[in-house]
Amino acid sequence: MDISYGGVYCYRCKDHIYDDDLDKVAGISNNRFFSAWTPTDIEIESLHSNPKRRKIENNSSVGLRGLINLGNTCFMSCIVQALTHTPLLRDFFLSDKHNCQMMAETQQCLVCELSRLFQEFYSGSRTPHIPYRLLHLVWTHARHLAGYEQQDAHEFFIAILDLVHQHCKGTNGAASNNSNCCNCIIDQIFTGSLQSDVTCQECHNISTTIDPFWDISLDLGMGPSVRNGGSAMLSPSYTEPTSLFDCLKRFTRDEHLGSFAKIKCSQCTVHRESTKRLTMKRLPIVCCFHLKRFEHSIGYHKKIKTLISFTEELDMTPFMSGCKTNDMGECIVTDDQQYRYTLFAVVNHIGNLESGHYINYIKQGQSSWFKCDDHQITKSTIQEVLNSEGYLLFYHKKVLDYE
């Protein structure tokens, strides 16, 4: 038994066993809960001395604020807009939960700057914000993003999560050198677990590994080629995806590793051909899907402009590790709400690799959508969002667990 994740492997039938009761026990022990905010005496006194309150209506513009482009910084603006409209991250920073570990050098703390940025966004001001401090700190802490050249929004997203994670992971009582025992705000919101099952084609022994992830990168091309003798040809089982659901089906389907990628079987103790399958062991509160539109190889660069359809509501049940299947091998979808997600932000790349521009759409309130193009914020519709090309798709869990 895997104590950390509740997985059970039967050595008699040589297969993993997924038991609902064990999954519930594992979920209870591993769920990350959020505690309610309790004001301190100083905060209570401050609330009494400032009785004026800003009421947030459904059509309120609080939280909507453009960002000045400081020279090819649209990639940063899009990710900042997505993060400032991530509900639990917004609540974390607006409730002053960040405890800075750089008391002598707070001006060099990127997380402190993010906290100030959230305050600026939700101050009610409508004038575009100039994020020069954030840009300077990103250049300081992530040297590979420094300079005025256009950067990849996905790369910036992972970099900003990693910087906040590295700063906050030692502040919650968990071991700072163990990335699997972190309960910082980034891991609470964005970290999920990916299960990899490698099955030996000879003895059918299954080797399972579980790794954390912050996002899921999905291929858009025709798929990998397989070798037949001395020549390479496209596998007939791979077709070009046309929807997010297709991408996820291809991501979680069985992949034959072939004779050129034999893996040593722990039971046979020799290298064997095998199949590999990826599934979702645990989903994060926010799922970020990265559609891999940029292809880079030696002397070859291009952008894949294939239109990938995606929906406002997403059910991840068919892609879970413990999904029960019918006689046809298809996942049985239940009414369980814990794997249901709703779209709240989309990042798009316009143009080509040489001269491109990033814009994004964000959801405000229950159903209002806005288009963010650097300093310009304009009203949009869900249909315009769903018809867009899509590069980064941000989905939020519809049901959260609270203690």
Side-chain angles (χ1 to χ4, degrees):
M1 175 183 285
D2 184 344
I3 302 298
S4 300
Y5 295 95
V8 178
Y9 182 78
C10 176
Y11 283 92
R12 173 169 290 184
C13 61
K14 295 181 172 54
D15 194 7
H16 279 84
I17 300 172
Y18 299 101
D19 183 81
D20 290 337
D21 293 333
L22 287 174
D23 278 346
K24 289 178 182 178
V25 172
I28 292 172
S29 62
N30 287 324
N31 274 346
R32 293 165 178 176
F33 300 103
F34 294 86
S35 57
W37 170 67
T38 304
T40 62
D41 293 339
I42 296 175
E43 289 170 334
I44 292 174
E45 183 180 349
S46 178
L47 289 170
H48 285 310
S49 59
N50 296 277
K52 189 176 180 179
R53 302 285 183 271
R54 182 184 293 274
K55 187 177 181 180
I56 307 297
E57 304 286 353
N58 289 333
N59 59 350
S60 174
S61 62
V62 175
L64 296 174
R65 195 167 183 183
L67 292 165
I68 296 295
N69 193 318
L70 301 175
N72 286 329
T73 57
C74 54
F75 69 94
M76 180 179 75
S77 299
C78 289
I79 299 304
V80 167
Q81 292 285 1
L83 293 178
T84 52
H85 288 86
T86 301
L88 291 176
L89 195 63
R90 174 199 61 202
D91 295 346
F92 174 83
F93 281 111
L94 292 184
S95 58
D96 203 22
K97 292 286 186 67
H98 168 54
N99 296 318
C100 184
Q101 303 299 301
M102 303 172 63
M103 300 305 294
E105 300 177 343
T106 55
Q107 295 300 316
Q108 294 298 315
C109 177
L110 184 137
V111 187
C112 285
E113 181 55 34
L114 276 178
S115 182
R116 283 189 287 268
L117 193 66
F118 274 83
Q119 299 291 339
E120 288 285 349
F121 261 74
Y122 291 92
S123 65
S125 175
R126 297 184 179 182
T127 58
H129 179 66
I130 308 175
Y132 67 94
R133 284 185 186 148
L134 178 64
L135 181 64
H136 170 71
L137 289 171
V138 169
W139 286 2
T140 302
H141 296 286
R143 294 289 185 180
H144 64 288
L145 296 174
Y148 288 102
E149 295 180 354
Q150 180 66 272
Q151 303 290 345
D152 182 23
H154 172 251
E155 189 175 357
F156 178 80
F157 170 66
I158 296 300
I160 200 79
L161 291 191
D162 185 57
L163 289 172
V164 177
H165 165 72
Q166 293 296 333
H167 183 90
C168 296
K169 68 178 182 179
T171 65
N172 54 15
S176 60
N177 60 350
N178 188 347
S179 59
N180 296 322
C181 294
C182 182
N183 197 33
C184 72
I185 188 61
I186 295 301
D187 279 333
Q188 290 182 48
I189 297 174
F190 295 99
T191 299
S193 299
L194 195 65
Q195 179 169 314
S196 173
D197 293 319
V198 178
T199 305
C200 174
Q201 294 297 284
E202 187 69 24
C203 68
H204 302 291
N205 176 56
I206 300 175
S207 299
T208 299
T209 57
I210 298 175
D211 298 301
F213 68 85
W214 279 336
D215 73 313
I216 301 169
S217 293
L218 301 170
D219 290 314
L220 302 185
M222 291 295 292
S225 60
V226 293
R227 291 200 170 271
N228 182 17
S231 61
M233 65 179 184
L234 192 69
S235 171
S237 63
Y238 284 93
T239 57
E240 190 170 350
T242 59
S243 68
L244 176 61
F245 193 82
D246 289 343
C247 293
L248 287 168
K249 280 178 65 178
R250 188 162 79 170
F251 183 80
T252 56
R253 73 178 359 163
D254 290 337
E255 176 188 358
H256 183 64
L257 299 182
S259 59
F260 289 88
K262 291 184 178 180
I263 295 177
K264 188 174 183 179
C265 174
S266 59
Q267 185 161 296
C268 299
T269 66
V270 295
H271 287 81
R272 300 284 194 189
E273 288 192 27
S274 57
T275 59
K276 179 180 178 181
R277 189 184 184 195
L278 298 174
T279 51
M280 313 295 167
K281 179 63 181 177
R282 188 183 65 82
L283 289 170
I285 293 174
V286 170
C287 262
C288 174
F289 299 103
H290 167 222
L291 304 182
K292 296 168 69 173
R293 295 197 173 275
F294 305 126
E295 284 189 353
H296 300 281
S297 60
I298 299 175
Y300 178 75
H301 308 280
K302 79 167 186 175
K303 176 185 176 183
I304 302 175
K305 296 186 178 182
T306 305
L307 184 63
I308 302 296
S309 64
F310 51 95
T311 55
E312 187 177 9
E313 306 291 333
L314 178 65
D315 186 1
M316 291 292 289
T317 304
F319 315 110
M320 299 303 298
S321 300
C323 180
K324 296 180 179 179
T325 58
N326 56 23
D327 295 336
M328 301 293 293
E330 299 171 339
C331 180
I332 302 174
V333 179
T334 64
D335 293 330
D336 196 342
Q337 296 291 315
Q338 64 174 323
Y339 303 133
R340 304 289 176 89
Y341 285 77
T342 184
L343 186 72
F344 75 94
V346 176
V347 173
N348 288 327
H349 181 270
I350 301 172
N352 51 43
L353 288 177
E354 290 73 26
S355 57
H357 178 62
Y358 287 101
I359 65 168
N360 76 315
Y361 296 92
I362 52 96
K363 187 177 182 180
Q364 176 90 336
Q366 294 297 317
S367 58
S368 298
W369 283 90
F370 291 88
K371 178 181 177 181
C372 305
D373 187 351
D374 288 331
H375 64 283
Q376 295 181 332
I377 308 290
T378 55
K379 185 78 173 176
S380 184
T381 63
I382 181 59
Q383 199 56 48
E384 181 182 353
V385 176
L386 298 180
N387 288 337
S388 65
E389 191 175 76
Y391 178 52
L392 298 176
L393 310 176
F394 293 86
Y395 283 86
H396 197 288
K397 251 187 179 181
K398 297 188 72 173
V399 178
L400 299 183
D401 296 322
Y402 287 89
E403 187 173 34

